[in-house]
Amino acid sequence: MRVLVVEDEEDLVEALRYGLVRADYAVDVAYDLEEATQKLYASAYDLMVLDLALPDGDGFDLCRAVRSGRLDGESGPDLRILMLTARDRLADRVRGLDEGADDYLVKPFAFPELLARVRALLRRESGGGSAVWTVGDLRLDTGRREAFRAGRLLRLTPKEFAVLRYLMSRPGQVVSAEELLEHVWDENADPFTNTVRVTVGTLRRKLAAPDEEQVIETVVRHGYRLRETRESGTAGTAAVPAGK
Protein backbone atom coordinates (compact mmCIF):
# COMPACT_ATOMS: atom_id res chain seq x y z
CA MET A 1 0.00 0.00 0.00
CA ARG A 2 1.20 3.52 -0.78
CA VAL A 3 1.23 6.26 1.86
CA LEU A 4 1.70 10.02 1.51
CA VAL A 5 3.21 11.68 4.59
CA VAL A 6 2.47 15.43 4.74
CA GLU A 7 4.73 16.84 7.45
CA ASP A 8 7.31 19.65 7.66
CA GLU A 9 9.44 18.41 10.59
CA GLU A 10 12.35 16.71 8.85
CA ASP A 11 13.37 14.48 11.76
CA LEU A 12 9.82 13.25 12.17
CA VAL A 13 9.49 12.73 8.42
CA GLU A 14 12.56 10.51 8.37
CA ALA A 15 11.36 8.55 11.38
CA LEU A 16 7.94 8.02 9.79
CA ARG A 17 9.44 7.08 6.45
CA TYR A 18 11.86 4.61 8.06
CA GLY A 19 9.18 2.95 10.18
CA LEU A 20 6.56 2.71 7.43
CA VAL A 21 9.03 1.36 4.87
CA ARG A 22 10.12 -1.28 7.39
CA ALA A 23 6.44 -2.21 7.67
CA ASP A 24 6.40 -2.77 3.89
CA TYR A 25 4.58 0.41 2.84
CA ALA A 26 5.65 2.54 -0.11
CA VAL A 27 6.11 6.06 1.22
CA ASP A 28 6.16 9.47 -0.46
CA VAL A 29 6.68 12.73 1.44
CA ALA A 30 5.39 16.27 1.04
CA TYR A 31 6.67 19.09 3.25
CA ASP A 32 3.87 21.60 2.59
CA LEU A 33 0.36 21.89 1.16
CA GLU A 34 1.50 22.86 -2.34
CA GLU A 35 3.75 19.82 -2.67
CA ALA A 36 1.07 17.56 -1.18
CA THR A 37 -1.49 18.86 -3.67
CA GLN A 38 0.84 18.22 -6.59
CA LYS A 39 1.50 14.66 -5.45
CA LEU A 40 -2.17 13.94 -4.86
CA TYR A 41 -2.93 15.07 -8.42
CA ALA A 42 -0.12 12.97 -9.86
CA SER A 43 -0.34 9.69 -7.91
CA ALA A 44 -2.87 7.39 -6.30
CA TYR A 45 -2.42 6.85 -2.57
CA ASP A 46 -4.13 4.45 -0.18
CA LEU A 47 -3.64 6.64 2.87
CA MET A 48 -2.40 10.12 3.79
CA VAL A 49 -0.77 10.96 7.13
CA LEU A 50 -1.50 14.68 7.48
CA ASP A 51 -0.05 17.29 9.81
CA LEU A 52 -2.15 20.39 10.43
CA ALA A 53 0.42 23.15 11.01
CA LEU A 54 2.19 23.41 7.66
CA PRO A 55 4.38 26.26 6.34
CA ASP A 56 1.88 27.40 3.70
CA GLY A 57 -1.45 26.72 5.39
CA ASP A 58 -3.61 24.45 7.48
CA GLY A 59 -4.02 20.72 6.93
CA PHE A 60 -7.75 21.11 7.56
CA ASP A 61 -7.98 22.89 4.19
CA LEU A 62 -6.33 19.98 2.36
CA CYS A 63 -8.54 17.45 4.10
CA ARG A 64 -11.65 19.42 3.16
CA ALA A 65 -10.51 19.75 -0.47
CA VAL A 66 -9.98 15.99 -0.76
CA ARG A 67 -13.29 15.05 0.84
CA SER A 68 -15.35 17.56 -1.16
CA GLY A 69 -13.81 16.47 -4.46
CA ARG A 70 -12.43 19.95 -5.14
CA LEU A 71 -9.00 18.35 -5.23
CA ASP A 72 -9.75 15.91 -8.02
CA GLY A 73 -6.64 13.81 -7.55
CA GLU A 74 -5.80 10.24 -8.48
CA SER A 75 -6.82 8.92 -5.04
CA GLY A 76 -10.34 10.34 -5.15
CA PRO A 77 -12.44 11.67 -2.26
CA ASP A 78 -12.35 8.35 -0.36
CA LEU A 79 -8.62 8.57 0.39
CA ARG A 80 -7.98 7.43 3.97
CA ILE A 81 -6.70 10.34 6.09
CA LEU A 82 -4.92 10.07 9.42
CA MET A 83 -4.34 13.47 11.03
CA LEU A 84 -1.10 13.58 13.02
CA THR A 85 -0.74 16.81 14.97
CA ALA A 86 0.29 18.45 18.22
CA ARG A 87 -3.16 20.05 18.53
CA ASP A 88 -4.61 18.10 21.42
CA ARG A 89 -7.70 20.15 22.31
CA LEU A 90 -11.02 18.35 22.15
CA ALA A 91 -12.32 21.01 19.75
CA ASP A 92 -9.48 20.30 17.31
CA ARG A 93 -10.03 16.53 17.45
CA VAL A 94 -13.73 16.97 16.85
CA ARG A 95 -13.12 19.39 13.99
CA GLY A 96 -10.60 17.05 12.39
CA LEU A 97 -13.09 14.19 12.29
CA ASP A 98 -15.89 16.49 11.14
CA GLU A 99 -13.71 17.83 8.33
CA GLY A 100 -13.34 14.29 7.03
CA ALA A 101 -10.35 12.68 8.74
CA ASP A 102 -10.74 8.96 9.33
CA ASP A 103 -8.57 9.08 12.45
CA TYR A 104 -6.77 11.65 14.61
CA LEU A 105 -3.52 11.00 16.52
CA VAL A 106 -1.88 13.55 18.80
CA LYS A 107 1.89 14.16 19.02
CA PRO A 108 3.92 12.90 20.77
CA PHE A 109 2.84 9.39 19.88
CA ALA A 110 4.14 5.84 20.01
CA PHE A 111 5.01 4.55 16.56
CA PRO A 112 3.46 1.09 17.16
CA GLU A 113 0.14 2.84 17.80
CA LEU A 114 0.42 4.86 14.59
CA LEU A 115 1.23 1.67 12.68
CA ALA A 116 -1.77 -0.10 14.18
CA ARG A 117 -4.03 2.79 13.18
CA VAL A 118 -2.62 2.72 9.63
CA ARG A 119 -3.32 -1.01 9.41
CA ALA A 120 -6.84 -0.52 10.73
CA LEU A 121 -7.63 2.22 8.19
CA LEU A 122 -6.29 0.17 5.29
CA ARG A 123 -8.20 -2.91 6.40
CA ARG A 124 -11.34 -0.81 6.38
CA GLU A 125 -10.61 0.20 2.78
CA SER A 126 -10.19 -3.39 1.66
CA GLY A 127 -13.25 -4.64 3.52
CA GLY A 128 -11.33 -6.63 6.13
CA GLY A 129 -12.28 -6.46 9.79
CA SER A 130 -9.20 -8.22 11.15
CA ALA A 131 -5.43 -8.05 10.99
CA VAL A 132 -5.58 -11.52 9.46
CA TRP A 133 -6.89 -11.98 5.92
CA THR A 134 -7.69 -15.26 4.18
CA VAL A 135 -8.35 -16.02 0.54
CA GLY A 136 -8.60 -19.72 -0.22
CA ASP A 137 -5.70 -21.43 1.53
CA LEU A 138 -3.72 -18.19 1.68
CA ARG A 139 -3.46 -16.48 5.05
CA LEU A 140 -1.90 -13.06 5.61
CA ASP A 141 -1.22 -11.61 9.05
CA THR A 142 -0.75 -7.89 8.44
CA GLY A 143 0.15 -7.19 12.05
CA ARG A 144 2.98 -9.74 12.24
CA ARG A 145 3.79 -9.41 8.53
CA GLU A 146 3.58 -13.16 8.00
CA ALA A 147 2.10 -15.03 5.05
CA PHE A 148 1.09 -18.67 4.84
CA ARG A 149 -0.23 -21.05 2.23
CA ALA A 150 -1.93 -24.23 3.45
CA GLY A 151 -0.26 -23.60 6.81
CA ARG A 152 3.21 -23.27 5.25
CA LEU A 153 5.13 -20.12 6.18
CA LEU A 154 6.15 -18.21 3.06
CA ARG A 155 9.55 -16.54 3.08
CA LEU A 156 8.68 -13.33 1.27
CA THR A 157 10.67 -10.16 0.68
CA PRO A 158 8.99 -6.90 1.75
CA LYS A 159 7.96 -6.14 -1.84
CA GLU A 160 6.59 -9.66 -2.41
CA PHE A 161 4.59 -9.35 0.81
CA ALA A 162 3.25 -5.96 -0.27
CA VAL A 163 2.23 -7.27 -3.70
CA LEU A 164 0.45 -10.24 -2.12
CA ARG A 165 -1.29 -7.95 0.36
CA TYR A 166 -2.55 -5.74 -2.47
CA LEU A 167 -3.79 -8.70 -4.54
CA MET A 168 -5.48 -10.25 -1.49
CA SER A 169 -7.34 -7.01 -0.91
CA ARG A 170 -8.83 -7.43 -4.39
CA PRO A 171 -9.40 -11.18 -4.89
CA GLY A 172 -10.79 -12.13 -8.28
CA GLN A 173 -10.10 -8.68 -9.73
CA VAL A 174 -7.63 -8.02 -12.53
CA VAL A 175 -4.87 -5.72 -11.28
CA SER A 176 -2.64 -4.13 -13.89
CA ALA A 177 1.13 -3.84 -13.57
CA GLU A 178 0.67 -0.06 -13.57
CA GLU A 179 -1.72 -0.27 -10.61
CA LEU A 180 0.71 -2.43 -8.66
CA LEU A 181 3.54 -0.01 -9.43
CA GLU A 182 1.35 2.88 -8.30
CA HIS A 183 0.35 1.33 -4.96
CA VAL A 184 3.28 -0.88 -3.93
CA TRP A 185 6.28 1.18 -5.06
CA ASP A 186 7.04 4.80 -4.21
CA GLU A 187 7.54 7.77 -6.51
CA ASN A 188 11.19 6.84 -7.13
CA ALA A 189 10.27 3.63 -8.98
CA ASP A 190 11.15 3.61 -12.67
CA PRO A 191 7.91 3.00 -14.63
CA PHE A 192 9.91 1.67 -17.58
CA THR A 193 11.54 -1.24 -15.75
CA ASN A 194 10.18 -4.78 -15.45
CA THR A 195 10.33 -4.69 -11.64
CA VAL A 196 6.62 -5.58 -11.26
CA ARG A 197 6.87 -8.58 -13.58
CA VAL A 198 9.99 -9.85 -11.82
CA THR A 199 8.48 -9.43 -8.33
CA VAL A 200 5.22 -11.14 -9.32
CA GLY A 201 7.24 -13.94 -10.91
CA THR A 202 9.25 -14.67 -7.76
CA LEU A 203 6.10 -14.39 -5.62
CA ARG A 204 4.30 -16.94 -7.80
CA ARG A 205 7.15 -19.40 -7.43
CA LYS A 206 7.11 -19.04 -3.65
CA LEU A 207 3.33 -19.41 -3.45
CA ALA A 208 3.10 -22.71 -5.30
CA ALA A 209 4.77 -25.87 -4.01
CA PRO A 210 5.21 -28.66 -6.59
CA ASP A 211 1.84 -30.24 -5.71
CA GLU A 212 -0.10 -26.97 -5.49
CA GLU A 213 -1.98 -25.02 -8.13
CA GLN A 214 -0.88 -21.50 -9.00
CA VAL A 215 -3.14 -18.90 -7.39
CA ILE A 216 -1.86 -15.85 -9.29
CA GLU A 217 -2.80 -15.95 -12.95
CA THR A 218 -1.59 -13.66 -15.70
CA VAL A 219 -4.35 -12.03 -17.71
CA VAL A 220 -2.66 -11.32 -21.03
CA ARG A 221 -2.36 -7.60 -21.82
CA HIS A 222 -4.30 -6.70 -18.65
CA GLY A 223 -2.37 -7.74 -15.55
CA TYR A 224 -2.71 -10.26 -12.74
CA ARG A 225 -5.54 -11.85 -10.81
CA LEU A 226 -5.58 -13.69 -7.49
CA ARG A 227 -7.92 -16.61 -7.97
CA GLU A 228 -10.88 -16.96 -5.65
CA THR A 229 -10.98 -20.58 -4.61
CA ARG A 230 -13.77 -22.57 -3.02
CA GLU A 231 -11.85 -22.81 0.23
CA SER A 232 -12.18 -19.05 0.85
CA GLY A 233 -15.93 -19.35 1.42
CA THR A 234 -16.47 -15.74 0.37
CA ALA A 235 -16.30 -13.55 -2.69
CA GLY A 236 -13.66 -11.29 -1.20
CA THR A 237 -11.11 -10.83 1.51
CA ALA A 238 -12.35 -12.68 4.55
CA ALA A 239 -11.32 -11.75 8.07
CA VAL A 240 -10.41 -14.60 10.37
CA PRO A 241 -12.73 -14.44 13.43
CA ALA A 242 -11.14 -13.55 16.77
CA GLY A 243 -9.67 -16.49 18.59
CA LYS A 244 -8.97 -18.58 15.51
Side-chain angles (χ1 to χ4, degrees):
M1 303 293 188
R2 190 169 178 182
V3 177
L4 176 63
V5 174
V6 186
E7 169 64 62
D8 65 326
E9 297 180 36
E10 291 191 14
D11 290 344
L12 179 55
V13 165
E14 290 310 308
L16 288 170
R17 192 206 304 266
Y18 176 79
L20 289 167
V21 168
R22 279 181 56 87
D24 305 327
Y25 296 101
V27 181
D28 294 341
V29 172
Y31 289 93
D32 54 38
L33 291 178
E34 181 179 3
E35 186 178 10
T37 300
Q38 292 172 353
K39 293 191 174 184
L40 287 168
Y41 273 121
S43 301
Y45 294 96
D46 300 287
L47 181 140
M48 175 167 61
V49 178
L50 176 63
D51 188 17
L52 294 181
L54 295 164
D56 55 349
D58 199 307
F60 283 132
D61 297 330
L62 180 60
C63 181
R64 194 181 311 113
V66 169
R67 284 289 179 260
S68 66
R70 286 190 291 108
L71 197 165
D72 187 20
E74 290 292 320
S75 307
D78 295 326
L79 171 67
R80 297 297 175 196
I81 299 175
L82 169 59
M83 286 186 174
L84 182 64
T85 174
R87 299 183 191 177
D88 60 356
R89 295 186 310 151
L90 175 61
D92 290 318
R93 298 198 299 271
V94 170
R95 182 185 174 190
L97 297 171
D98 284 344
E99 293 282 10
D102 296 284
D103 201 354
Y104 192 105
L105 183 60
V106 175
K107 303 174 185 175
F109 60 94
F111 187 78
E113 180 183 0
L114 178 137
L115 201 56
R117 289 172 183 258
V118 167
R119 290 196 301 266
L121 292 175
L122 293 175
R123 288 200 303 271
R124 189 186 309 171
E125 177 183 331
S126 61
S130 168
V132 180
W133 304 351
T134 60
V135 176
D137 59 359
L138 289 173
R139 179 172 174 267
L140 193 76
D141 188 326
T142 61
R144 296 182 179 180
R145 302 206 303 280
E146 293 179 337
F148 302 84
R149 181 169 188 194
R152 183 181 82 256
L153 178 64
L154 303 171
R155 304 292 182 181
L156 304 182
T157 67
K159 274 291 177 278
E160 290 164 356
F161 185 91
V163 168
L164 181 59
R165 177 172 56 192
Y166 193 80
L167 292 174
M168 286 183 70
S169 73
R170 291 154 175 78
Q173 298 181 24
V174 177
V175 177
S176 69
E178 292 77 11
E179 184 176 347
L180 283 172
L181 189 69
E182 187 80 4
H183 288 270
V184 178
W185 279 263
D186 62 25
E187 62 188 344
N188 298 312
D190 184 349
F192 300 105
T193 67
N194 61 354
T195 183
V196 173
R197 181 177 61 81
V198 170
T199 302
V200 171
T202 58
L203 174 61
R204 293 181 67 180
R205 288 193 290 274
K206 292 180 180 181
L207 286 176
D211 58 341
E212 293 174 328
E213 66 175 342
Q214 182 54 252
V215 293
I216 298 178
E217 62 178 326
T218 299
V219 182
V220 179
R221 292 191 296 276
H222 293 284
Y224 307 96
R225 175 166 50 210
L226 185 69
R227 292 175 177 171
E228 295 180 277
T229 58
R230 287 174 295 177
E231 292 89 343
S232 68
T234 68
T237 301
V240 173
K244 293 198 176 182

